[in-house]
Amino acid sequence: MSYLSNTKFDVIIVGAGPAGSTAAYTLAKNGLRVVVLERGRTAGSKTLYGGRVYSKPLEEVYENFRKEAPIERWVKKERFSFMSNGELLTLEYSSTDSTSFTAYLSRLASWMAQKAEEAGAVIVTDIRVDDLYLEDGVVKGVRCGDEVLRSNVVVDAEGVNRLILERFGMVPKLEKRQVALGLKQVIRLDASKIEGRLGLAAGEGLAWLIVGEATGYLPGGSFLYTNSSTISLGLVVFLEEAYQNINQHVFNILEDLKQKQSIKEVIADGVVIEYGAHLTPEMGLGMSPKKMYGDGLLIVGDAAGLLLNLGYTIRGVDFAAYSGYLAAKTILKAHSMGSYNSESLSFYQKLLEESFIMKEMKKHKKITKLMRSNEMFTIYPGILLDTVKKLFEIEYSSPTILQALRNSIKGKTSLLKLLWNIFRTFF
Ligand SMILES: Cc1cc2nc3c(=O)[nH]c(=O)nc-3n(C[C@H](O)[C@H](O)[C@H](O)COP(=O)(O)OP(=O)(O)OC[C@H]3O[C@@H](n4cnc5c(N)ncnc54)[C@H](O)[C@@H]3O)c2cc1C
């Protein structure tokens, strides 16, 4: 610790998740003195996610990413299902190419931290940052207990809880409506069983998202991702809606899901080897601070609310890592000018706005709203499955699609409301 408090770093980074380590890697590679402070025992030990990451942004930042990163399987098959009364309506897409992979986030984050270390960054684990350290209102480092660690600029990559930013008054206290609760089990299973049961060729990966009964009809979704010889199974439920409507422990919803025939068949003989829970930002731009910079400060990743949940896919890791990369580019520019005030660091916001991150978050603003509508998760899965059942389970006469839909809707909602919801989501 005395070495740390006696050294003035160019940059202090709080948190060794994908955002913090990617910022550290980019800065150290360009010759800046960087230290990453992580409260977990190892980099990645405190991070948790479902299991699929989009690779392109990471390939742009890390050389030889495809060869070196701890990738489990490249996703070649996508499934999206509505579940109701144990029955499934599934859309399946098989691709010859792949833009995403499955991985353990703990290993991926630890690999990123290792890359940062190899580039010259110092990674210190088992240390908690308590506060930002200010001189004349300007961030000049951090406080860890009684110690002050000094730097020209601090990158806040502390993740979704963002307690440091809250104490600093940069963001309000986290509210239930802004976050979702994620639960995940890792289940060990032979690769041949994973592939045989899910119709995958050797080495191929699957990403499967399920809504409706899979979350006990709560707004959110369940996920199943295939790793080399494990399956990641879990769910994400919006905290506010869960809080209002839940009548059992979330843990039991996941256990119930494991008993549904379609999931039970896949995980049979599997052994749970890991269990975790974590919050995730879910308000789209509603959770992002208006200014993601200050005098001597930049905010990246989940702490900045940079996550997109579209229901059929979730993007957090690539957004986090790329925002870390953009923060690093901003600091390198500020370093060359010798100024770390908010005016110089506002360049980060400009880069973010021009990047795919903000463009994606703005483009999909409406779908993020629909994700909060109860009907999407409570009524619609049942209506869809009932409609399909009427179309396929024929005795003598078969209904037209409209007749089947009308009959399934009866007493639950109106056709007009359903069509309006579809319209306002996509147009
Ligand atoms: C259940 C679930 C499923 C998800 N599924 C996916 C998915 O499939 N694909 C995807 O791309 N994203 C997914 N995400 C989102 C993804 O995990 C996050 O967006 C991503 O991890 C954010 O990275 P980050 O570096 O900003 O924060 P984090 O990964 O949370 O890292 C923050 C780090 O800061 C450290 N820290 C916090 N406070 C302090 C402090 N005071 N002092 C020192 N260190 C501190 C923490 O220990 C942690 O290591 C999922 C999230 C959840 C919860």
Side-chain angles (χ1 to χ4, degrees):
M1 194 74 169
S2 58
Y3 155 72
L4 292 178
S5 40
N6 290 331
T7 310
K8 176 148 185 215
F9 290 96
D10 294 312
V11 188
I12 292 176
I13 297 175
V14 185
S21 291
T22 304
Y25 167 71
T26 311
L27 289 164
K29 219 172 66 161
N30 286 282
L32 265 62
R33 282 166 305 161
V34 188
V35 63
V36 184
L37 307 174
E38 166 58 49
R39 71 186 164 136
R41 252 181 294 151
T42 56
S45 64
K46 293 264 183 192
T47 50
L48 182 120
Y49 84 139
R52 176 249 284 279
V53 180
Y54 290 90
S55 69
K56 209 73 194 163
L58 301 180
E59 287 176 54
E60 188 186 325
V61 177
Y62 292 96
E63 284 145 34
N64 296 324
F65 183 81
R66 283 195 175 230
K67 272 197 196 142
E68 290 179 20
I71 289 164
E72 292 284 315
R73 288 172 185 260
W74 285 94
V75 175
K76 290 283 181 69
K77 199 177 261 192
E78 306 274 351
R79 276 187 192 171
F80 181 77
S81 300
F82 289 94
M83 182 184 269
S84 183
N85 293 325
E87 291 170 341
L88 279 184
L89 172 62
T90 299
L91 181 72
E92 183 170 303
Y93 167 71
S94 299
S95 161
T96 47
D97 201 6
S98 181
T99 57
S100 68
F101 60 89
T102 61
Y104 294 105
L105 189 55
S106 51
R107 285 188 202 157
L108 185 61
S110 144
W111 177 83
M112 288 171 169
Q114 187 195 324
K115 293 302 283 181
E117 230 168 0
E118 283 167 14
V122 177
I123 313 273
V124 184
T125 55
D126 239 340
I127 181 170
R128 196 189 70 216
V129 174
D130 295 314
D131 269 314
L132 297 172
Y133 167 71
L134 277 75
E135 281 175 15
D136 300 325
V138 175
V139 177
K140 287 282 182 187
V142 296
R143 285 183 194 279
C144 304
D146 295 336
E147 303 268 351
V148 170
L149 276 60
R150 287 179 170 78
S151 64
N152 291 323
V153 58
V154 172
V155 177
D156 187 304
E158 63 177 313
V160 62
N161 291 328
R162 57 188 195 186
L163 294 173
I164 298 169
L165 291 179
E166 192 187 315
R167 279 194 289 271
F168 185 51
M170 189 108 180
V171 296
K173 196 173 164 43
L174 212 57
E175 291 174 39
K176 287 199 288 292
R177 68 189 175 90
Q178 293 177 314
V179 287
L181 171 66
L183 229 67
K184 178 180 133 176
Q185 293 187 1
V186 177
I187 301 168
R188 192 172 54 220
L189 197 63
D190 290 350
S192 59
K193 285 186 178 161
I194 295 176
E195 288 153 4
R197 291 170 187 179
L198 291 162
L200 299 166
E204 279 184 358
L206 164 91
W208 189 1
L209 282 301
I210 315 170
V211 296
E213 197 183 13
T215 56
Y217 298 104
L218 291 172
S222 290
F223 55 82
L224 187 154
Y225 297 108
T226 56
N227 301 311
S228 301
S229 51
T230 59
I231 279 180
S232 295
L233 180 71
L235 52 88
V236 174
V237 290
F238 299 117
L239 208 55
E240 185 167 47
E241 287 80 358
Y243 189 71
Q244 285 163 1
N245 301 309
I246 204 160
N247 52 15
Q248 57 175 323
H249 199 296
V250 188
F251 167 85
N252 290 329
I253 300 178
L254 186 53
E255 287 304 311
D256 283 352
L257 176 64
K258 288 166 72 181
Q259 297 310 315
K260 302 287 174 226
Q261 199 54 32
S262 43
I263 302 296
K264 201 172 169 179
E265 283 167 1
V266 175
I267 60 172
D269 322 319
V271 179
V272 177
I273 54 167
E274 229 182 274
Y275 201 100
H278 205 283
L279 291 180
T280 168
E282 284 295 340
M283 268 217 77
L285 292 167
M287 205 187 138
S288 299
K290 284 214 167 55
K291 267 174 62 184
M292 303 205 199
Y293 59 90
D295 285 316
L297 178 70
L298 289 172
I299 312 171
V300 295
D302 272 12
L306 302 175
L307 181 135
L308 185 64
N309 183 353
L310 293 178
Y312 54 89
T313 187
I314 177 167
R315 297 183 71 177
V317 174
D318 62 327
F319 279 25
Y322 205 79
S323 67
Y325 169 66
L326 296 181
K329 279 178 89 169
T330 304
I331 294 169
L332 290 168
K333 188 165 183 267
H335 184 72
S336 69
M337 298 187 311
S339 161
Y340 301 94
N341 62 18
S342 69
E343 200 188 328
S344 314
L345 296 182
S346 67
F347 185 58
Y348 170 58
Q349 193 111 12
K350 185 173 177 289
L351 289 182
L352 262 183
E353 295 287 344
E354 288 167 1
S355 76
F356 68 95
I357 300 176
M358 280 308 197
K359 286 183 185 155
E360 285 295 290
M361 291 190 65
K362 284 181 182 162
K363 185 166 67 192
H364 297 290
K365 226 165 51 188
K366 286 186 183 161
I367 207 158
T368 327
K369 269 194 191 152
L370 183 83
M371 293 289 294
R372 311 308 295 254
S373 116
N374 271 333
E375 285 149 341
M376 173 79 184
F377 305 90
T378 49
I379 306 175
Y380 295 168
I383 290 176
L384 274 170
L385 275 144
D386 200 38
T387 306
V388 172
K389 201 176 167 126
K390 285 185 170 67
L391 294 176
F392 289 120
E393 290 186 8
I394 299 166
E395 287 177 348
Y396 294 100
S397 77
S398 53
T400 64
I401 295 177
L402 196 61
Q403 276 167 346
L405 183 63
R406 276 217 171 102
N407 284 335
S408 304
I409 282 174
K410 222 178 260 169
K412 295 178 191 134
T413 185
S414 71
L415 186 57
L416 209 64
K417 194 165 180 195
L418 178 77
L419 294 175
W420 168 239
N421 268 339
I422 294 172
F423 178 80
R424 76 187 171 112
T425 305
F426 297 106
F427 303 100

mmCIF file of all heavy atoms in Angstrom, residues 65-89:
data_model
loop_
_atom_site.group_PDB
_atom_site.id
_atom_site.type_symbol
_atom_site.label_atom_id
_atom_site.label_comp_id
_atom_site.label_asym_id
_atom_site.label_seq_id
_atom_site.Cartn_x
_atom_site.Cartn_y
_atom_site.Cartn_z
ATOM 1 N N PHE A 65 -7.387 -11.480 -30.740
ATOM 2 C CA PHE A 65 -8.439 -11.826 -29.777
ATOM 3 C C PHE A 65 -8.975 -13.234 -30.016
ATOM 4 O O PHE A 65 -9.108 -14.035 -29.093
ATOM 5 C CB PHE A 65 -9.587 -10.802 -29.860
ATOM 6 C CG PHE A 65 -10.664 -11.064 -28.860
ATOM 7 C CD1 PHE A 65 -10.534 -10.648 -27.548
ATOM 8 C CD2 PHE A 65 -11.803 -11.800 -29.206
ATOM 9 C CE1 PHE A 65 -11.508 -10.930 -26.599
ATOM 10 C CE2 PHE A 65 -12.783 -12.072 -28.270
ATOM 11 C CZ PHE A 65 -12.634 -11.634 -26.966
ATOM 12 N N ARG A 66 -9.288 -13.550 -31.274
ATOM 13 C CA ARG A 66 -9.895 -14.863 -31.570
ATOM 14 C C ARG A 66 -8.985 -16.009 -31.155
ATOM 15 O O ARG A 66 -9.452 -17.052 -30.726
ATOM 16 C CB ARG A 66 -10.216 -14.981 -33.064
ATOM 17 C CG ARG A 66 -11.462 -14.201 -33.430
ATOM 18 C CD ARG A 66 -12.011 -14.580 -34.783
ATOM 19 N NE ARG A 66 -13.262 -13.872 -34.984
ATOM 20 C CZ ARG A 66 -14.402 -14.433 -35.370
ATOM 21 N NH1 ARG A 66 -14.437 -15.716 -35.660
ATOM 22 N NH2 ARG A 66 -15.501 -13.718 -35.505
ATOM 23 N N LYS A 67 -7.684 -15.799 -31.304
ATOM 24 C CA LYS A 67 -6.731 -16.888 -31.000
ATOM 25 C C LYS A 67 -6.482 -17.001 -29.503
ATOM 26 O O LYS A 67 -6.351 -18.086 -28.955
ATOM 27 C CB LYS A 67 -5.392 -16.614 -31.680
ATOM 28 C CG LYS A 67 -5.313 -17.142 -33.073
ATOM 29 C CD LYS A 67 -3.854 -17.192 -33.500
ATOM 30 C CE LYS A 67 -3.807 -17.337 -35.006
ATOM 31 N NZ LYS A 67 -2.747 -16.577 -35.604
ATOM 32 N N GLU A 68 -6.383 -15.853 -28.821
ATOM 33 C CA GLU A 68 -5.885 -15.873 -27.439
ATOM 34 C C GLU A 68 -6.959 -15.866 -26.349
ATOM 35 O O GLU A 68 -6.735 -16.354 -25.251
ATOM 36 C CB GLU A 68 -4.983 -14.653 -27.207
ATOM 37 C CG GLU A 68 -3.677 -14.732 -27.959
ATOM 38 C CD GLU A 68 -2.837 -13.485 -27.696
ATOM 39 O OE1 GLU A 68 -3.077 -12.776 -26.693
ATOM 40 O OE2 GLU A 68 -1.947 -13.207 -28.512
ATOM 41 N N ALA A 69 -8.116 -15.290 -26.633
ATOM 42 C CA ALA A 69 -9.127 -15.112 -25.557
ATOM 43 C C ALA A 69 -9.718 -16.463 -25.140
ATOM 44 O O ALA A 69 -9.770 -17.397 -25.948
ATOM 45 C CB ALA A 69 -10.225 -14.178 -26.054
ATOM 46 N N PRO A 70 -10.151 -16.575 -23.871
ATOM 47 C CA PRO A 70 -10.692 -17.852 -23.376
ATOM 48 C C PRO A 70 -12.125 -18.090 -23.857
ATOM 49 O O PRO A 70 -13.081 -18.033 -23.089
ATOM 50 C CB PRO A 70 -10.630 -17.679 -21.850
ATOM 51 C CG PRO A 70 -10.750 -16.217 -21.631
ATOM 52 C CD PRO A 70 -10.134 -15.535 -22.817
ATOM 53 N N ILE A 71 -12.236 -18.370 -25.165
ATOM 54 C CA ILE A 71 -13.557 -18.565 -25.779
ATOM 55 C C ILE A 71 -13.995 -20.013 -25.580
ATOM 56 O O ILE A 71 -13.197 -20.939 -25.794
ATOM 57 C CB ILE A 71 -13.478 -18.206 -27.282
ATOM 58 C CG1 ILE A 71 -13.317 -16.685 -27.412
ATOM 59 C CG2 ILE A 71 -14.701 -18.700 -28.049
ATOM 60 C CD1 ILE A 71 -12.853 -16.215 -28.760
ATOM 61 N N GLU A 72 -15.233 -20.228 -25.180
ATOM 62 C CA GLU A 72 -15.740 -21.590 -24.975
ATOM 63 C C GLU A 72 -16.273 -22.164 -26.296
ATOM 64 O O GLU A 72 -15.791 -23.170 -26.769
ATOM 65 C CB GLU A 72 -16.832 -21.583 -23.904
ATOM 66 C CG GLU A 72 -16.316 -21.251 -22.512
ATOM 67 C CD GLU A 72 -15.572 -22.415 -21.870
ATOM 68 O OE1 GLU A 72 -16.061 -23.549 -21.941
ATOM 69 O OE2 GLU A 72 -14.490 -22.186 -21.291
ATOM 70 N N ARG A 73 -17.275 -21.498 -26.851
ATOM 71 C CA ARG A 73 -17.840 -21.942 -28.132
ATOM 72 C C ARG A 73 -18.295 -20.724 -28.930
ATOM 73 O O ARG A 73 -18.802 -19.761 -28.350
ATOM 74 C CB ARG A 73 -19.086 -22.826 -27.926
ATOM 75 C CG ARG A 73 -18.800 -24.216 -27.387
ATOM 76 C CD ARG A 73 -20.092 -24.919 -27.030
ATOM 77 N NE ARG A 73 -19.850 -26.197 -26.400
ATOM 78 C CZ ARG A 73 -19.918 -27.376 -27.001
ATOM 79 N NH1 ARG A 73 -20.254 -27.443 -28.274
ATOM 80 N NH2 ARG A 73 -19.679 -28.493 -26.347
ATOM 81 N N TRP A 74 -18.160 -20.773 -30.246
ATOM 82 C CA TRP A 74 -18.733 -19.734 -31.103
ATOM 83 C C TRP A 74 -20.194 -20.064 -31.309
ATOM 84 O O TRP A 74 -20.542 -21.208 -31.606
ATOM 85 C CB TRP A 74 -17.992 -19.662 -32.444
ATOM 86 C CG TRP A 74 -16.654 -19.001 -32.273
ATOM 87 C CD1 TRP A 74 -15.459 -19.625 -32.061
ATOM 88 C CD2 TRP A 74 -16.398 -17.590 -32.217
ATOM 89 N NE1 TRP A 74 -14.465 -18.688 -31.895
ATOM 90 C CE2 TRP A 74 -15.021 -17.430 -31.992
ATOM 91 C CE3 TRP A 74 -17.194 -16.459 -32.356
ATOM 92 C CZ2 TRP A 74 -14.426 -16.168 -31.889
ATOM 93 C CZ3 TRP A 74 -16.605 -15.200 -32.259
ATOM 94 C CH2 TRP A 74 -15.233 -15.066 -32.026
ATOM 95 N N VAL A 75 -21.056 -19.075 -31.134
ATOM 96 C CA VAL A 75 -22.503 -19.317 -31.213
ATOM 97 C C VAL A 75 -22.931 -19.483 -32.670
ATOM 98 O O VAL A 75 -22.788 -18.580 -33.483
ATOM 99 C CB VAL A 75 -23.289 -18.157 -30.548
ATOM 100 C CG1 VAL A 75 -24.794 -18.339 -30.746
ATOM 101 C CG2 VAL A 75 -22.942 -18.080 -29.070
ATOM 102 N N LYS A 76 -23.440 -20.666 -32.961
ATOM 103 C CA LYS A 76 -23.889 -20.950 -34.337
ATOM 104 C C LYS A 76 -25.399 -21.142 -34.394
ATOM 105 O O LYS A 76 -25.985 -21.204 -35.463
ATOM 106 C CB LYS A 76 -23.206 -22.230 -34.845
ATOM 107 C CG LYS A 76 -21.711 -22.099 -35.119
ATOM 108 C CD LYS A 76 -21.496 -21.369 -36.429
ATOM 109 C CE LYS A 76 -20.052 -21.194 -36.820
ATOM 110 N NZ LYS A 76 -19.360 -22.383 -37.195
ATOM 111 N N LYS A 77 -25.998 -21.296 -33.207
ATOM 112 C CA LYS A 77 -27.439 -21.511 -33.189
ATOM 113 C C LYS A 77 -28.086 -20.573 -32.185
ATOM 114 O O LYS A 77 -27.617 -20.452 -31.053
ATOM 115 C CB LYS A 77 -27.708 -22.965 -32.806
ATOM 116 C CG LYS A 77 -29.084 -23.437 -33.177
ATOM 117 C CD LYS A 77 -29.297 -24.895 -32.857
ATOM 118 C CE LYS A 77 -29.127 -25.771 -34.081
ATOM 119 N NZ LYS A 77 -29.593 -27.126 -33.862
ATOM 120 N N GLU A 78 -29.149 -19.892 -32.621
ATOM 121 C CA GLU A 78 -29.894 -18.972 -31.752
ATOM 122 C C GLU A 78 -31.297 -19.526 -31.587
ATOM 123 O O GLU A 78 -31.906 -19.981 -32.557
ATOM 124 C CB GLU A 78 -30.026 -17.588 -32.414
ATOM 125 C CG GLU A 78 -28.752 -16.945 -32.851
ATOM 126 C CD GLU A 78 -28.073 -16.160 -31.741
ATOM 127 O OE1 GLU A 78 -28.692 -15.984 -30.675
ATOM 128 O OE2 GLU A 78 -26.925 -15.728 -31.956
ATOM 129 N N ARG A 79 -31.800 -19.464 -30.359
ATOM 130 C CA ARG A 79 -33.189 -19.843 -30.128
ATOM 131 C C ARG A 79 -33.863 -18.768 -29.308
ATOM 132 O O ARG A 79 -33.273 -18.254 -28.352
ATOM 133 C CB ARG A 79 -33.270 -21.138 -29.318
ATOM 134 C CG ARG A 79 -33.152 -22.361 -30.143
ATOM 135 C CD ARG A 79 -33.432 -23.550 -29.253
ATOM 136 N NE ARG A 79 -33.056 -24.764 -29.925
ATOM 137 C CZ ARG A 79 -33.025 -25.948 -29.350
ATOM 138 N NH1 ARG A 79 -33.349 -26.073 -28.082
ATOM 139 N NH2 ARG A 79 -32.678 -27.020 -30.043
ATOM 140 N N PHE A 80 -35.114 -18.461 -29.694
ATOM 141 C CA PHE A 80 -35.920 -17.568 -28.857
ATOM 142 C C PHE A 80 -37.257 -18.256 -28.647
ATOM 143 O O PHE A 80 -37.914 -18.635 -29.618
ATOM 144 C CB PHE A 80 -36.110 -16.214 -29.538
ATOM 145 C CG PHE A 80 -36.908 -15.266 -28.693
ATOM 146 C CD1 PHE A 80 -36.323 -14.619 -27.614
ATOM 147 C CD2 PHE A 80 -38.265 -15.065 -28.935
ATOM 148 C CE1 PHE A 80 -37.063 -13.770 -26.798
ATOM 149 C CE2 PHE A 80 -39.016 -14.211 -28.125
ATOM 150 C CZ PHE A 80 -38.410 -13.571 -27.058
ATOM 151 N N SER A 81 -37.642 -18.457 -27.401
ATOM 152 C CA SER A 81 -38.877 -19.202 -27.124
ATOM 153 C C SER A 81 -39.825 -18.424 -26.232
ATOM 154 O O SER A 81 -39.401 -17.690 -25.342
ATOM 155 C CB SER A 81 -38.562 -20.520 -26.402
ATOM 156 O OG SER A 81 -37.732 -21.328 -27.183
ATOM 157 N N PHE A 82 -41.117 -18.654 -26.475
ATOM 158 C CA PHE A 82 -42.165 -18.258 -25.527
ATOM 159 C C PHE A 82 -42.543 -19.539 -24.792
ATOM 160 O O PHE A 82 -42.721 -20.579 -25.427
ATOM 161 C CB PHE A 82 -43.392 -17.718 -26.260
ATOM 162 C CG PHE A 82 -43.149 -16.373 -26.892
ATOM 163 C CD1 PHE A 82 -42.750 -16.272 -28.224
ATOM 164 C CD2 PHE A 82 -43.339 -15.214 -26.161
ATOM 165 C CE1 PHE A 82 -42.525 -15.038 -28.798
ATOM 166 C CE2 PHE A 82 -43.115 -13.964 -26.736
ATOM 167 C CZ PHE A 82 -42.707 -13.874 -28.049
ATOM 168 N N MET A 83 -42.634 -19.453 -23.471
ATOM 169 C CA MET A 83 -43.018 -20.640 -22.702
ATOM 170 C C MET A 83 -44.296 -20.332 -21.928
ATOM 171 O O MET A 83 -44.433 -19.278 -21.296
ATOM 172 C CB MET A 83 -41.897 -21.020 -21.728
ATOM 173 C CG MET A 83 -42.201 -22.267 -20.924
ATOM 174 S SD MET A 83 -40.887 -22.622 -19.705
ATOM 175 C CE MET A 83 -39.821 -23.681 -20.629
ATOM 176 N N SER A 84 -45.243 -21.276 -22.017
ATOM 177 C CA SER A 84 -46.482 -21.138 -21.235
ATOM 178 C C SER A 84 -47.022 -22.539 -20.958
ATOM 179 O O SER A 84 -47.051 -23.376 -21.866
ATOM 180 C CB SER A 84 -47.488 -20.304 -22.037
ATOM 181 O OG SER A 84 -48.652 -20.117 -21.276
ATOM 182 N N ASN A 85 -47.416 -22.784 -19.735
ATOM 183 C CA ASN A 85 -47.920 -24.104 -19.324
ATOM 184 C C ASN A 85 -47.005 -25.244 -19.753
ATOM 185 O O ASN A 85 -47.465 -26.282 -20.224
ATOM 186 C CB ASN A 85 -49.322 -24.345 -19.895
ATOM 187 C CG ASN A 85 -50.319 -23.393 -19.275
ATOM 188 O OD1 ASN A 85 -50.208 -23.056 -18.084
ATOM 189 N ND2 ASN A 85 -51.245 -22.898 -20.068
ATOM 190 N N GLY A 86 -45.729 -25.029 -19.672
ATOM 191 C CA GLY A 86 -44.757 -26.073 -20.002
ATOM 192 C C GLY A 86 -44.548 -26.260 -21.497
ATOM 193 O O GLY A 86 -43.711 -27.043 -21.933
ATOM 194 N N GLU A 87 -45.338 -25.535 -22.332
ATOM 195 C CA GLU A 87 -45.185 -25.690 -23.788
ATOM 196 C C GLU A 87 -44.332 -24.560 -24.352
ATOM 197 O O GLU A 87 -44.271 -23.474 -23.772
ATOM 198 C CB GLU A 87 -46.565 -25.682 -24.450
ATOM 199 C CG GLU A 87 -47.338 -26.943 -24.099
ATOM 200 C CD GLU A 87 -48.792 -26.881 -24.532
ATOM 201 O OE1 GLU A 87 -49.296 -25.765 -24.776
ATOM 202 O OE2 GLU A 87 -49.418 -27.940 -24.608
ATOM 203 N N LEU A 88 -43.682 -24.850 -25.475
ATOM 204 C CA LEU A 88 -42.751 -23.880 -26.050
ATOM 205 C C LEU A 88 -43.100 -23.529 -27.481
ATOM 206 O O LEU A 88 -43.465 -24.404 -28.265
ATOM 207 C CB LEU A 88 -41.345 -24.482 -26.098
ATOM 208 C CG LEU A 88 -40.457 -24.493 -24.867
ATOM 209 C CD1 LEU A 88 -39.102 -25.056 -25.246
ATOM 210 C CD2 LEU A 88 -40.288 -23.104 -24.278
ATOM 211 N N LEU A 89 -42.988 -22.244 -27.804
ATOM 212 C CA LEU A 89 -43.041 -21.826 -29.198
ATOM 213 C C LEU A 89 -41.667 -21.226 -29.483
ATOM 214 O O LEU A 89 -41.274 -20.243 -28.848
ATOM 215 C CB LEU A 89 -44.134 -20.773 -29.402
ATOM 216 C CG LEU A 89 -44.161 -20.115 -30.780
ATOM 217 C CD1 LEU A 89 -44.423 -21.149 -31.868
ATOM 218 C CD2 LEU A 89 -45.230 -19.037 -30.829
#
